[in-house]
Structure formats: C-alpha cells, structure tokens
C-alpha cells in the first residue's frame, strides 16, 4: 500500500484513528472492544514485531522516517499527516507523533501461554489499566514467560495498558483462566507450584520461596487493597509475603510483582 | 480551634484550599512553593502523625468522623463543608472528601537524613512527580531510611508526589545533596558504600551487591531513560545492574528502586 498523505481530517481511510479517547469502546466491532492502538515509535515498533495484524499507521513524516527499518516490508497503509491534521483526527495533540492500529488476534489458550514458561503471573481482580500495563512491562523485563488473567481483571489491550506496558502486552503471552480457582489446579497439573501473595503473617518470606518451589512457579497476585480472595488463597500451594515495614500499606501491585519476578529470576 | 462550618465558597478562612490544581505554585509564599497538601483519610492521618505543622483541615462531615481518633488533640481548625461547597473551593470534585494543609518545615540536613539509616536512596535528575512519590512509598515499605535528592530532582512535596507516595514523603526523611558529586564522597566518609545503578555490562548484578557492600549502602538512581550521568557513575564505589531480558527497556525508576530496596533489605 505504501505511503498515503492525508490532508482532510474527515478522510474515511483514517477512521480507525478517530477520537482516540473513546477508542476502547467499539460497539461496531466483535465483543464491542476496540482495536489495539500503539502510540509512539517504541510501542509501534513492538507492534510491528508482534503477532498482531497491523491494519494501518498514522503519523507525522519525521516519525515514519525514524521507523524506516521496521517498516520495511510492512504491507499496511502508512498515512502521513501534519501534526495539526493528526490532532484533529485523534481528538487531541499527540506528542508521540505516530500511531498504529491492529486487529485483536484470536486469544491464546492456557497451553499456549505456559508452553515455554518457567515462571508465570496469575492475576485476580486487577482492574486498573495502568497497573496491568506496568505489570506486563515488569514481566517482560524480568523474564516472566506469561500472564494469566483470572476473574475481575481488565483488558490488557486497552489503549492505556498498551501504552504503560511500553508495548510489552503485545509481546508477553497472556490468556484467561476462565475456571476459577480450578484453573490453578490445572496449572499444578502442568507442573507449576502455585504461590499466592498475601501480607498474612505466617506466610513464606519471598526470599525462601525457591526452597519450596524449585521448578515452575505460578505467582498469583490480587488487586492492591483487597488482595486475593480466600478462594484463591485456599487453592494455592504456598502463601508468600514480601517482608514490609510495619504500618506501611502494601506495595503497588505491579511493584510487588516486579519484586517477586526479580527474586524468582535471580534465585535460579 | 475546633470545628467550623463553611457555607460560603468565598470564605477567606479556607483560602489555603482554593483552586488546588494550581496549589503547587504560591508566589506569595517563601520560595514560591506551595503548602503541603494531604488528600484523603490515609494521607491526612500520616500528615497528622508527621513533623509537619498542620495549618487547617477541610472536609465533609463523614471523613472527619472517620479520623476522630487521629484528630484528638489537634489544634488546627477543622473546616466542615458540603461536598458541593468543597468542590467550589478546591475547583473540582474531590472523591477523597478531606484535605489537610501544612507549612513546609525547615529542610533536613544530610546528617539528619542519614543518622539512623543503614540504606538510603540518592537520586539524580528524577523530575517526574509520580515516580518520585512512588519511590518514597517503596522506600517506606521496604525499609529504606532516607532519600537524598541530587541535581535535577523535583520537589517531593508537590501535591501529586505526596498523593502517589500515600503520604510517605512526610515520613521518610529526605534532604538535598547540593554538592554534586562531592556529596557522594561525603556519604562515603559517613561509612556508606556508594552503589550506582546502570544497565552497563560488567556492572555487579544486584544479587551480589551485599558481598561487596556488607554495611551502609547509598543506592544511586538516575531518571528512566537517560540514567545516571558519567559524573555520578565515576564517583560511585560500585556500578550495579538489575539483570534484565535483552531488548527490554529499563524498569520504571521507582520499580527498579523497589527491587533494589527489597534485595538490600532481604539480603541482610
């Protein structure tokens, strides 16, 4: 398709990029969910390298130039616009200067997600899009092979999650555990020790987890505040805590996960 | 002073709370800096327990009731208003329902900050208020005794930093290293090993830092992206890295700091 210059804010060819602040709701699309939106050269290049089918790109000339190598061989149309026209299309001024939009691929199965993973994260009730995105970024950085979403989690492909993850939601395999907490038994059957995080006294300090779980580990986290349900805690093999100063609230969920990911990775 | 009901949005007694979105700039105050603003019962209770001189509180009846125990003996006026009047005063609807405002106390000296600390954090160029706030929260949770701000750091007492820190900027001692990088030599003279974080190959993996630095440690972090300057790296005793997956951007600065704080605390 190559490069197409867009001068008219109402050009229907850039409809996928229209009014981005509401782009996560698309009643016209399957499930009512939005397309996957990548913002900025870093995230766009991750999208281009991912399994996600790119529909189109929209950006200013300079940003396309920066991505020339990554765009080599990309068949999706590249819509070039001025910063002003782009702002009129997306509904606000976008500092990052380039966007790409992709279809949602078929979800991965649990088998797909855990296939090559030694350590995975399992989430229950993590509804905050920023925390979810940050957790994926931390998983990518610290060698966690996959993420499974239990009940009450939000959609990691929301625009804000994709952005906060720096595009790593497009890279770290994820799927859904629809049977809960039965899905944890399934993970156990696949050779994972199930370690549930809780500040509860009597739980194993994180530093000692490797002694109890030397092989594959599923690290289970609940939302900041409520934490894991009793149901999830009862279904785990180990209750684990990150030792913390008395009187301090728990860490942010993505931060707690990073600490756990680090410990598991460097304890090997 | 006790409880005072405020019905008039223009009442001059609540001027400290007026138009909160611009409250960080107060040309009428020393240094042009705003007062310290605590939002919500958790942060307000931390402020009440801190060394910060509280000037006044403003909130809805229900939130004052929740803080009754913490407010016992507090001399500052407690302005009670409806949610509507409060929104008119502060300029937007505030879900948290209660605010407190305090004067900035005299800054702590480096000696004050490090006095009881075995591990401290030293920051260079950390300008993002959310990252700064999150770092203080992590320091409080993971037993870091103090924070020293080198050049290019923003003000931890900005409203957003106080909020993101969950009020822990009011609790974790902090001060400024005005001599840079000379201040790092001063820390060394006080018995600290100076450990600078960098992704550079050849640096010590975090897991091994305790072997090199068994005593007091100053953990030095730069901003996400640029990282530490050569000047700072050259002045350190150890260059330390958090082992990360190839091709992944560095962790968020507050997250990297949390991992380091955890390692230092649990390696003891």
């Amino acid at each position: 398709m190559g490069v197409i210059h867009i001068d008219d804010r109402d050009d229907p060819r850039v409809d996928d990029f229209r009014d981005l602040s509401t782009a996560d709701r698309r009643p016209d699309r399957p499930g009512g969910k939005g397309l996957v939106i990548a913002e900025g050269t870093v995230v766009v290049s991750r999208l281009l390298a991912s399994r996600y089918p790119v529909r189109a790109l929209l950006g200013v000339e300079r940003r396309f130039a920066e991505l020339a190598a990554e765009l080599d061989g990309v068949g999706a149309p590249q819509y070039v616009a001025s910063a002003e026209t782009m702002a009129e299309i997306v509904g606000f001024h976008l500092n990052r200067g380039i966007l790409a939009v992709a279809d949602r691929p078929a979800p991965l199965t649990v088998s797909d997600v855990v296939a090559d993973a030694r350590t995975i994260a399992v989430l229950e009730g993590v509804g905050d899009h920023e925390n979810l995105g940050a957790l994926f970024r931390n998983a990518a950085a610290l060698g966690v092979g996959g993420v499974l979403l239990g009940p009450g989690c939000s959609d990691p492909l929301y625009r804000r999650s994709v952005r906060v993850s720096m595009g790593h939601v497009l890279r770290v395999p994820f799927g859904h555990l629809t049977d809960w907490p039965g899905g944890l038994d399934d993970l156990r059957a696949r050779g994972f020790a199930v370690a549930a995080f809780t500040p509860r006294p009597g739980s194993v300090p994180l530093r000692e987890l490797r002694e109890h779980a030397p092989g594959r580990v599923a690290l289970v986290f609940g939302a900041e505040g409520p934490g894991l349900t009793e149901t999830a805690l009862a279904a785990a093999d180990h209750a684990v805590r990150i030792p913390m100063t008395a009187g301090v609230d728990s860490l942010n969920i993505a931060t707690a996960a990073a600490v756990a990911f680090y410990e598991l990775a460097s304890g090997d």
Side-chain angles (χ1 to χ4, degrees), chain A residues 121-138 147-158 160-161 164 169 174-177 180 197 219-229 232 250-258 261:
Chain A
V122 180
L123 309 180
E124 185 193 40
V126 177
D128 182 276
H129 290 108
E130 285 197 35
N131 285 344
L132 200 55
L135 188 140
F136 272 87
R137 179 183 178 186
N138 298 342
V147 177
L148 290 170
L149 306 169
C153 293
S154 35
D155 177 0
L157 296 178
Y158 256 51
R160 183 190 290 260
S161 292
V164 173
V169 294
F174 74 89
H176 291 84
L177 274 192
W180 190 264
F197 282 75
L219 301 165
V220 191
F221 302 96
E224 193 180 321
L228 287 170
T229 59
S250 62
L251 292 169
N252 167 286
I253 159 77
T255 306
F261 298 164

Side-chain angles (χ1 to χ4, degrees), chain A residues 141-229:
Chain A
L142 297 165
V144 165
V147 177
L148 290 170
L149 306 169
C153 293
S154 35
D155 177 0
L157 296 178
Y158 256 51
R159 190 168 70 95
R160 183 190 290 260
S161 292
V162 174
R163 186 173 66 230
V164 173
S165 83
M166 310 278 282
H168 290 297
V169 294
L170 310 172
R171 225 169 105 145
V172 177
F174 74 89
H176 291 84
L177 274 192
T178 44
D179 182 14
W180 190 264
L184 298 177
D185 297 326
D186 175 52
L187 289 173
R188 193 175 294 111
R190 294 170 190 268
F192 285 89
V194 178
F197 282 75
T198 169
R200 205 168 282 193
S203 37
V204 175
L206 175 58
R207 190 78 173 207
E208 296 169 20
L209 177 57
R210 264 287 177 240
E211 298 166 25
H212 299 274
R216 299 181 104 180
V217 181
L219 301 165
V220 191
F221 302 96
E224 193 180 321
L228 287 170
T229 59

Side-chain angles (χ1 to χ4, degrees), chain A residues 90-116:
Chain A
V90 307
F92 51 89
H93 180 74
L94 196 91
N95 283 322
R96 293 179 180 80
I98 192 163
L99 295 163
V101 64
D103 281 310
R104 289 170 174 255
L108 297 178
T109 64
V110 172
S111 295
D112 293 335
V113 172
V114 306
D116 302 319

